[in-house]
Amino acid sequence: MEPVSPLPDHLASSAVAKLGVEEGDAFATRAGLRWPDLITALENVYGRGGLDLATRLAKVALEIVTARPPDLRRLDRQREIDPEWFQRPEMVGYVAYADRFAGTLQGVRDRIGYLEELGITYLHLMPLLMPREGVNDGGYAVADYDAVDPGIGTMEDLVALAADLHERGLSLCVDLVINHTAREHGWAKRAIKGDPRYRAFYRIYPDRDEPDRYEATLREIFPDTAPGSFTFSPEVGGWVWTTFHDYQWDLNYENPDVVVAMAEVMGRLANRGVDVLRLDAVPFIWKRLGTDCENQPEAHRILQAFRAVMAMATPGVLLKAEAIVPPDDLVQYLGAHDDAFRPECDLAYHNLLMVMLWSSLASRDARLMRAALTRLRPAPASTSWVTYVRCHDDIGWAVTDEDAATVGWGGFSHRSFLNDYYSGSFNGSFARGALFQRNPATGDARISGSAASLCGIELALRSGDSAQVEAGIRRLLLLYNIAYSYGGIPLVYMGDEVALRNDFTYLEIPERAADNRWMHRPAMDWVAAAKRGDRQSLEQVVFAGFQRLARTRAAVPSLHAAAAPTMLSPDDDAVFAFARRHPTSRPFLGLSNFADFERTVDAGVLAAAGIDDPVTLLSSDGDLEIDNGRIVLPGLGFVWVGG
Ligand code: GLC
């Protein structure tokens, strides 16, 4: 390997000039350490231009740290000393739209107590920066990265919220849409005015020639409501690349100025007190003719460059990849590449686990889940997944043909089954969701619906069947038990903790009616939440279940994110079993029964997990029951065993 050019000397001296000897030297040390990563990544993408861009970005890093408030620098220092801070089992996340959850950012501050009651230590607020007016894809069409959506508050409110959270030991995650801006963003406005610097921020084509050639291999993200990936804009006199909706203009990362501008945005947001930047739609940031323009190597390199810049400037801040991609493309976002580990994002969504949870629940069969998760490469030890059951998006069935074949199923037919099952059209299905973005050309579709509705609680309540309500609750907690123990930061999607069902009020709002993802983006039902105090109410049972998960998790050292799960093979297809062990702790075994009825498995699974003296840490039912050498698991039951 050729040696990389050294960190420019003047950077260290200007750091000392700007920050004083101590802080300046600390910055220069970090910059020196991260410089090789930065330059390697950028030379890889921009060739000879890489050095120049790296130098510009290192300067941006210095500007960010110069503007960084002292309390945040202190937090940086703490986290530099304690880099595992986000991997500990105490970490439990909650995901909500600020307005749907509490009206405003001020309202969120008033609800921190509720989050604490649930055991939450990490709050992800959905897009909260100034969106375009009118339809805005749930806030993912940002018109100004430096302002908060006036409907929920101001930047000052965000700063105050972050400070409150920090004081109480919680961290804050905020969405940063890096793939595109709204066409009303200042950059786009200047492009429209004809400013060549800003025209070059986007991908604008004079005619259909290139767009057609690209579209030959592009996947449609919203085939139903936003077909195609280009939009003719009379204002700029050309076809603009719009992967998502026509009002979301893709940024052009071939232009180094875009990388610099986005690094500056990241720094400003981090300096408001945001601990985790959820980088939205990262698989799409690099385009290559003849491919689907997703997960391109350059996209990873650019993320690595962002990682290096932020590590220089704000070492306490994490990057989270929103990459909902096929299993073979997933772990690369955590820096695990075929040839080497290259620091990239610290957190990434475990969408394979999420998909497999729903797959196992519908099929009452955990074999596909075991096979797919066995094949997935583990997360690098310094990173962490975020594990989840539901989120604000639809569920896309990331079931590969290869994985399906290992259990004798067809990929397409299993995906179709899951769509039928969760949209409720499959005979006997307990689920009440809806198809999202059905593509008649390919036969593909995804699923919308809240966790509680998909687990059968909606249908059971409607038909007044209390046994089925109970089964629905067991399903919901069964799925969440795995999210809380499998490895990574579990995320509770707002409302799941009190089993909120689908909400159809979105149909009355014209900008939302065409997007059924709104059925699982309800406003928080605080009346329902108040029932968490009523003994044996639905809400109380579910909420208490979530509390137990968090409380138990926090006390089990093996659930540290660095302890990778190992899949076990119990002798019943409906039972999912995995073991975990952190070097400094005792082994952990998780067993989950996806069948509706009792199942038993050979107790040899305990020894396979390294457990010879089993202790029940948590279970859906009583203590671990072993009968005649077989572990007895009630229908839809789970147990956490320590040893
Ligand atoms: C991400 C968001 C999704 C949004 C898309 C475009 O996937 O999670 O809600 O539609 O990006 O910004």
Side-chain angles (χ1 to χ4, degrees):
M1 226 173 69
E2 277 181 50
V4 297
S5 334
L7 180 74
D9 283 343
H10 61 82
L11 205 71
S13 48
S14 58
V16 171
K18 282 198 170 159
L19 299 167
V21 178
E22 252 174 68
E23 289 279 350
D25 185 56
F27 172 79
T29 307
R30 292 197 301 268
L33 280 170
R34 297 297 182 153
W35 177 257
D37 292 349
L38 181 63
I39 193 136
T40 313
L42 295 173
E43 285 185 342
N44 199 281
V45 180
Y46 302 95
R48 289 168 153 275
L51 175 59
D52 177 53
L53 179 54
T55 310
R56 289 172 69 192
L57 286 171
K59 272 194 212 136
V60 170
L62 178 55
E63 279 157 25
I64 298 170
V65 72
T66 308
R68 194 149 173 83
D71 55 327
L72 297 179
R73 285 198 205 162
R74 189 148 191 286
L75 204 54
D76 286 339
R77 189 153 316 156
Q78 250 176 40
R79 290 172 178 173
E80 278 189 285
I81 296 167
D82 179 24
E84 300 166 50
W85 67 274
F86 64 96
Q87 297 186 302
R88 297 221 169 78
E90 293 88 333
M91 288 298 285
V92 177
Y94 192 80
V95 184
Y97 285 96
D99 60 335
R100 312 294 275 165
F101 178 56
T104 61
L105 293 177
Q106 177 59 48
V108 175
R109 292 172 72 187
D110 299 335
R111 294 290 185 186
I112 298 176
Y114 175 80
L115 299 175
E116 287 175 329
E117 210 185 310
L118 195 58
I120 301 301
T121 55
Y122 163 110
L123 174 62
H124 170 196
L125 290 179
M126 303 292 299
L128 49 73
L129 299 178
M130 169 94 83
R132 75 191 291 268
E133 271 178 39
V135 304
N136 57 37
D137 190 23
Y140 287 101
V142 176
D144 186 349
Y145 292 116
D146 291 299
V148 163
D149 177 352
I152 58 167
T154 62
M155 254 317 162
E156 286 62 48
D157 294 337
L158 184 66
V159 172
L161 170 63
D164 274 8
L165 290 169
H166 290 157
E167 202 169 296
R168 292 163 79 162
L170 282 81
S171 48
L172 175 64
C173 170
V174 162
D175 274 75
L176 178 59
V177 187
I178 70 163
N179 177 67
H180 46 265
T181 70
R183 70 164 174 243
E184 290 74 13
H185 188 278
W187 300 337
K189 279 192 190 149
R190 276 177 260 185
I192 289 169
K193 281 208 185 113
D195 184 336
R197 173 175 151 82
Y198 289 97
R199 265 188 88 97
F201 267 47
Y202 299 93
R203 292 176 156 270
I204 303 169
Y205 303 90
D207 52 40
R208 282 292 314 182
D209 180 42
E210 280 194 75
D212 283 344
R213 284 195 284 141
Y214 276 109
E215 265 183 359
T217 52
L218 286 174
R219 182 168 73 96
E220 289 196 294
I221 309 302
F222 299 131
D224 233 12
T225 45
S229 298
F230 297 86
T231 302
F232 185 75
S233 158
E235 303 143 299
V236 292
W239 292 86
V240 184
W241 197 307
T242 53
T243 299
F244 296 90
H245 296 97
D246 56 8
Y247 51 80
Q248 288 163 307
W249 286 16
D250 285 41
L251 287 163
N252 174 19
Y253 279 89
E254 269 177 54
N255 177 359
D257 291 350
V258 170
V259 183
V260 173
M262 197 48 80
E264 288 169 346
V265 167
M266 287 182 186
R268 287 196 293 272
L269 207 48
N271 280 353
R272 304 296 191 171
V274 174
D275 303 279
V276 181
L277 296 172
R278 174 194 181 273
L279 305 181
D280 184 68
V282 289
F284 299 89
I285 63 175
W286 194 267
K287 329 290 187 192
R288 172 175 281 110
L289 194 62
T291 72
D292 61 0
C293 299
E294 294 178 43
N295 311 305
Q296 295 299 308
E298 291 83 351
H300 289 286
R301 292 297 192 172
I302 293 167
L303 290 173
Q304 288 154 21
F306 285 138
R307 171 68 287 165
V309 174
M310 296 305 279
M312 289 177 183
T314 59
V317 171
L318 306 180
L319 301 184
K320 175 162 73 169
E322 193 257 337
I324 309 304
V325 298
D328 290 338
D329 294 316
L330 202 52
V331 75
Q332 288 84 336
Y333 287 93
L334 292 173
H337 294 275
D338 287 342
D339 55 339
F341 170 64
R342 287 190 285 273
E344 196 163 318
C345 291
D346 309 280
L347 301 171
Y349 286 83
H350 204 324
N351 82 301
L352 180 65
L353 180 70
M354 180 276 290
V355 163
M356 288 301 149
L357 291 173
W358 292 107
S359 164
S360 304
L361 193 69
S363 59
R364 280 85 165 168
D365 188 330
R367 285 175 306 150
L368 176 61
M369 179 162 171
R370 190 185 313 143
L373 291 170
T374 303
R375 208 165 64 77
L376 188 75
R377 289 186 357 216
S382 55
T383 66
S384 171
W385 296 112
V386 289
T387 50
Y388 63 116
V389 171
R390 282 303 285 122
C391 72
H392 71 294
D393 277 329
D394 49 288
I395 305 174
W397 301 113
V399 176
T400 64
D401 295 345
E402 186 185 350
D403 286 333
T406 59
V407 293
W409 298 346
F412 184 81
S413 62
H414 186 57
R415 292 192 295 272
S416 303
F417 160 72
L418 293 170
N419 280 325
D420 291 347
Y421 203 90
Y422 286 109
S423 61
S425 63
F426 189 88
N427 200 5
S429 164
F430 50 73
R432 284 297 174 269
L435 293 180
F436 178 69
Q437 301 293 329
R438 209 173 68 81
N439 188 338
T442 59
D444 288 334
R446 284 119 71 184
I447 285 290
S448 284
S450 81
S453 294
L454 296 179
C455 282
I457 296 175
E458 180 179 323
L459 179 64
L461 286 173
R462 228 190 286 141
S463 52
D465 183 336
S466 57
Q468 273 309 310
V469 174
E470 201 201 317
I473 296 174
R474 290 179 69 84
R475 289 187 197 105
L476 184 62
L477 292 174
L478 180 74
L479 299 191
Y480 266 102
N481 114 75
I482 296 176
Y484 269 71
S485 57
Y486 186 79
I489 306 177
L491 301 180
V492 179
Y493 183 60
M494 189 206 85
D496 287 355
E497 76 279 16
V498 286
L500 292 192
R501 276 82 66 200
N502 292 336
D503 168 21
F504 293 98
T505 54
Y506 77 97
L507 291 168
E508 290 144 33
I509 304 170
E511 300 93 74
R512 295 184 178 167
D515 186 342
N516 70 18
R517 289 178 297 174
W518 284 99
M519 75 167 63
H520 54 257
R521 298 170 180 176
M524 184 60 182
D525 184 343
W526 289 108
V527 175
K531 295 195 198 135
R532 71 189 184 280
D534 302 351
R535 259 181 74 77
Q536 293 309 317
S537 67
L538 163 71
E539 292 78 7
Q540 188 266 328
V541 175
V542 175
F543 194 87
F546 276 79
Q547 284 179 309
R548 270 196 301 275
L549 287 171
R551 215 181 307 123
T552 312
R553 174 183 151 81
V556 179
S558 279
L559 300 187
H560 187 289
T566 313
M567 246 45 66
L568 304 176
S569 309
D571 57 350
D572 189 298
D573 293 346
V575 177
F576 179 64
F578 65 93
R580 293 181 65 192
R581 181 162 204 176
H582 191 260
T584 60
S585 67
R586 307 181 69 76
F588 171 92
L589 168 68
L591 291 169
S592 299
N593 176 12
F594 282 92
D596 300 86
F597 304 103
E598 179 183 294
R599 293 291 171 96
T600 67
V601 296
D602 190 317
V605 73
L606 291 165
I611 295 176
D612 33 47
D613 195 7
V615 196
T616 309
L617 303 170
L618 179 70
S619 94
S620 52
D621 302 85
D623 270 354
L624 178 73
E625 190 189 334
I626 305 181
D627 186 22
N628 263 325
R630 298 193 66 81
I631 297 177
V632 181
L633 292 163
L636 302 170
F638 69 86
V639 57
W640 294 7
V641 189

